[in-house]
Amino acid sequence: MRAAEDAAVAAGTSVDTLMRCAGEGIAAAVRRLAAGSDILVVCGPGNNGGDGSIAASVLHSQGFPVRIAATADPKTPAARNARDRWVGEVEPFAQARPAPILIDCLFGTGLSRALDDDLDTRMTELARDARLVIAADLPSGTDADAATAPDWARHAPVMVTLALGALKPAHVLHPAAAACGAVRLIDLGIDRPAAVTVAGTPDLPCPGPASHKYTRGMVAIVAGHMAGAARLAAVAALRSGAGYVALYGDGGQGGPDAIVHRPFDGDALSDARIGAILIGPGLGRDAVARDRLAALVAADAHPLVIDGDALHLLDLDAPARRTRPVVLTPHAGEFKALFGTPAGSLLDQARSAAARAGAIVVLKGPTTIVASAAATRVHPGGNPWLSTAGTGDVLAGTIAAQLAHPGADPLAAASAGTWLHARAGQLCGASFVADDLANALTPARAGA
Ligand SMILES: NC(=O)C1=CN([C@@H]2O[C@H](COP(=O)(O)OP(=O)(O)OC[C@H]3O[C@@H](n4cnc5c(N)ncnc54)[C@H](O)[C@@H]3O)[C@@H](O)[C@H]2O)[C@@H](O)CC1
């Protein structure tokens, strides 16, 4: 975002103009929410504080009862110009009187270290005394990239965060995202960078009159030690749109009769009608599993989804030698084991990992990130009840089904699968099991 602001400034848009847009946008949002109550705007020394000065001046000129409290004098030229517009007193932050509406403009993206204890304590007091806390750009003390949250926002929640110009990683990654409350984007009239792209409803293919089971996508799933995990993935693949799902190896008993069971052999998996192969759920980590994974990756015959146990057996240099796409679906622990801790925000880390592996990476978590080397799609707001055994197997099957569709773009397919999985999770509500989730993919798919 700072790069976008810098580019806008370099192209002739002054910081004062951007700040005016930001301040007016904040004032407009506050006007809708304040309902005539007293407003306290707390301002820091930088441009975030400048946004607050503009917002306060606009609100004052419109007759709203508004006061400013500041931690220090403005330190940037634009923030000084903004403060010059303010006609009222400026209260010292430490002694500021609370108000029912608190507008937090202490620090935004320029935060250079954690908040001092006295600032944090005073913010806690002011926020606790407020009926409504609104943060300009970020709750002060939030690291925009590392997505850490300040203590005060844990004690006295921010209801609304007004993201200025673009979403930053902290607006979508936890714990900061939880501390932001509802996030509203304020347009500053500058081009939004693609750093944070929240995935919208995917454009999913529907069968036409000429469709048959193979044109809808055939998914092959390699089963292993825990046959139930592979079966969950198989049900998910069927219910999320695949036309044909075959389990190779020991798929065990049970599951819908629509799932075809076959022995694992290299010839079967070279079937040209297969649209994508999934390996990993319940696979085990023995030598047989390792050999099967290595053979599939080397064969380069079909797009691959690699999940669970298979991520522990993967030679990370192998996907880049293939021509057909590979999707890796690690949770945080598997991600760290595979890639360590690359630099930057979690979004940067997922993109670096995708570049390193030559694969699409689906980094699973409360916010799931789908990344290629060049782009990320963010899926925030997953139902926390998804934290139950087997939901990862369901996700892997769902992604495999999207990838198996003829002509599928791997990043879009992985993102669509992640979206469907999250939607099914929402439909399930509370205290569900992975089998329910797999079944909920039918209504999730129908509603997309
Ligand atoms: N860059 C731009 O062109 C624009 C920026 N805007 C606003 O400006 C913000 C970024 O402004 P700045 O870069 O001035 O940064 P901030 O206003 O976030 O804070 C920077 C100031 O705070 C001090 N500081 C940082 N961490 C501190 C800490 N822990 N304790 C005490 N002091 C600390 C710094 O020394 C500096 O004086 C954005 O979040 C947004 O609100 C908007 O006005 C639109 C235009």
Side-chain angles (χ1 to χ4, degrees):
M1 181 56 199
R2 291 185 75 90
E5 285 165 351
D6 291 349
V9 170
T13 309
S14 70
V15 176
D16 298 80
T17 302
L18 292 173
M19 191 176 282
R20 199 186 65 240
C21 287
E24 287 174 352
I26 295 165
V30 172
R31 208 163 42 234
R32 282 193 295 274
L33 297 164
S37 299
D38 282 0
I39 302 164
L40 175 66
V41 183
V42 290
C43 296
N47 288 342
N48 194 246
D51 299 341
S53 296
I54 300 277
S57 297
V58 171
L59 289 164
H60 179 264
S61 71
Q62 293 167 341
F64 283 80
V66 56
R67 292 178 287 118
I68 285 185
T71 56
D73 288 336
K75 288 214 169 78
T76 71
R80 272 195 290 274
N81 293 340
R83 182 63 56 78
D84 287 345
R85 282 182 56 174
W86 173 247
V87 293
E89 298 292 309
V90 176
E91 300 172 27
F93 177 71
Q95 283 90 47
R97 275 183 299 118
I101 312 291
L102 177 65
I103 315 301
D104 164 25
C105 300
L106 289 185
F107 308 107
T109 55
L111 189 83
S112 51
R113 60 183 195 279
L115 282 193
D116 292 344
D117 286 349
D118 53 342
L119 284 181
D120 196 84
T121 303
R122 189 70 193 120
M123 270 307 279
T124 305
E125 292 163 355
L126 289 172
R128 275 190 174 151
D129 281 343
R131 174 169 59 77
L132 177 66
V133 182
I134 299 173
D137 215 11
L138 293 162
S140 293
T142 302
D143 185 311
D145 284 334
T148 50
D151 274 350
W152 71 265
R154 275 192 262 273
H155 301 305
V158 173
M159 283 76 160
V160 180
T161 293
L162 304 168
L164 301 175
L167 294 179
K168 289 89 189 170
H171 293 125
V172 293
L173 299 175
H174 294 286
C180 285
V183 176
R184 300 277 176 271
L185 186 64
I186 305 264
D187 185 10
L188 299 187
I190 52 178
D191 282 343
R192 267 196 258 164
V196 179
T197 305
V198 175
T201 307
D203 188 13
L204 296 170
C206 285
S211 296
H212 54 75
K213 59 190 178 220
Y214 296 114
T215 59
R216 286 190 38 196
M218 175 178 174
V219 174
I221 299 177
V222 179
H225 285 281
M226 288 173 60
R231 283 204 308 276
L232 267 178
V235 175
L238 279 171
R239 291 199 179 276
S240 61
Y244 191 133
V245 176
L247 272 180
Y248 289 81
D250 184 6
Q253 305 298 313
D257 294 332
I259 299 169
V260 177
H261 292 255
R262 293 190 178 155
F264 182 95
D265 69 52
D267 285 350
L269 285 166
S270 65
D271 184 338
R273 294 171 302 186
I274 293 173
I277 299 176
L278 165 62
I279 182 165
L283 182 70
R285 301 185 193 174
D286 60 11
V288 174
R290 183 181 297 277
D291 290 348
R292 287 182 176 180
L293 173 66
L296 286 179
V297 176
D300 194 13
H302 306 285
L304 268 183
V305 179
I306 301 178
D307 179 59
D309 284 335
L311 291 169
H312 295 266
L313 304 173
L314 180 67
D315 166 8
L316 208 47
D317 293 323
R321 292 194 285 267
R322 290 167 49 95
T323 58
R324 293 180 200 275
V326 172
V327 178
L328 309 177
T329 55
H331 56 54
E334 291 162 342
F335 183 89
K336 193 161 185 203
L338 271 171
F339 300 107
T341 309
S345 73
L346 216 51
L347 302 177
D348 299 329
Q349 293 181 26
R351 217 169 14 234
S352 311
R356 161 70 183 89
I360 303 296
V361 170
V362 178
L363 174 51
K364 300 182 287 193
T367 293
T368 292
I369 301 165
V370 180
S372 68
T376 52
R377 302 277 180 275
V378 178
H379 295 259
N383 181 350
W385 287 99
L386 283 166
S387 50
T388 184
T391 53
D393 306 323
V394 172
L395 176 64
T398 308
I399 291 174
Q402 314 317 306
L403 192 63
H405 198 271
D409 169 77
L411 179 72
S415 186
T418 305
W419 185 93
L420 274 173
H421 181 262
R423 181 78 192 113
Q426 286 165 356
L427 293 176
C428 281
S431 196
F432 56 85
V433 299
D435 301 69
D436 303 328
L437 181 69
N439 288 334
L441 284 161
T442 295
R445 181 70 176 73

